Amino acid sequence: MLISTETYIPFPRPLVYATYRDKLVELVPYLPNVRHVEVKSRTEKGDRIYFVNEWHGGGEIPAVARAVLSETMLSWTDIATWNESEFTAEWRIKTHAFTEAVRCAGVHRFKEADRGTLIETRGEIVIDTKQIKGVPQMLTGIVGHTVEDFLSKNIRPNILQISKGVHHYLEQSQKVDN
């Protein structure tokens, strides 16, 4: 399954890029489906910054649904390489549930557009049902489809929410500065 989003933010590209990259923890209040983000590591080498972030979802998911869904279904690790000279971020998501079966990766491109920034995200989710462990063979297709459906309904909206969060965060920062 392909992931494709585009979001316009009416702030300069360097500011949007740096906010998206460096203020992720501060963006959580603007992300209704995220409870918290933990920066596991940040390494800088030249114009590249390497991040490992652990995400914990479930913010606006009803408590009853959270009780049924395991914590592993609502958590994931994001491994990203931010290239400042190209204004890109290559990322891959390591799910905490069905880790061997799920591959999800892509790139964010931050482009100057109409006195602001256009964030283009392109990626892909691949579910290898043969790698789903602990499920009877005759059910792996159903489980694979269910996992793909769950991820597709959450990853794209979360990417869009982050962009909206950056926009709101920058608007609020601008009001404080004025």
Side-chain angles (χ1 to χ4, degrees):
M1 187 187 90
L2 298 178
I3 300 166
S4 180
T5 67
E6 293 184 3
T7 308
Y8 174 78
I9 300 175
F11 288 92
R13 178 169 71 163
L15 179 61
V16 169
Y17 182 81
T19 302
Y20 204 114
R21 182 191 65 207
D22 300 331
K23 302 293 185 185
L24 200 52
V25 172
E26 289 95 328
L27 293 175
V28 170
Y30 303 100
L31 308 175
N33 293 324
V34 176
R35 284 186 297 151
H36 70 279
V37 176
E38 183 180 346
V39 178
K40 293 293 198 176
S41 70
R42 175 188 170 123
T43 307
E44 296 185 34
K45 292 182 183 173
D47 65 350
R48 287 186 169 77
I49 299 177
Y50 303 89
F51 275 99
V52 176
N53 295 318
E54 191 167 285
W55 294 70
H56 299 274
E60 285 194 0
I61 296 171
V64 173
R66 270 187 297 201
V68 174
L69 297 171
S70 74
E71 180 68 26
T72 57
M73 285 296 287
L74 299 175
S75 299
W76 62 95
T77 300
D78 171 26
I79 300 139
T81 301
W82 292 78
N83 183 331
E84 192 154 9
S85 64
E86 295 181 7
F87 289 95
T88 61
E90 292 182 22
W91 51 268
R92 69 185 166 88
I93 292 172
K94 183 177 167 186
T95 59
H96 293 189
F98 306 110
T99 304
E100 302 83 16
V102 178
R103 287 189 315 278
C104 182
V107 63
H108 302 300
R109 289 182 179 83
F110 296 75
K111 299 180 174 185
E112 291 180 342
D114 193 26
R115 294 185 289 174
T117 304
L118 179 68
I119 304 172
E120 291 181 351
T121 300
R122 302 292 182 266
E124 183 177 34
I125 301 170
V126 177
I127 309 290
D128 181 355
T129 56
K130 293 178 190 113
Q131 297 299 317
I132 296 175
K133 308 293 184 218
V135 175
Q137 187 65 34
M138 65 183 182
L139 296 178
T140 58
I142 294 168
V143 171
H145 176 72
T146 302
V147 170
E148 184 177 82
D149 188 54
F150 178 81
L151 291 174
S152 68
K153 287 180 178 168
N154 286 285
I155 290 175
R156 187 176 184 281
N158 281 349
I159 290 169
L160 293 171
Q161 274 296 326
I162 296 166
S163 295
K164 288 179 186 174
V166 168
H167 187 173
H168 292 305
Y169 178 88
L170 291 173
E171 282 180 335
Q172 293 301 317
S173 297
Q174 193 174 49
K175 288 178 184 175
V176 170
D177 290 344
N178 288 335

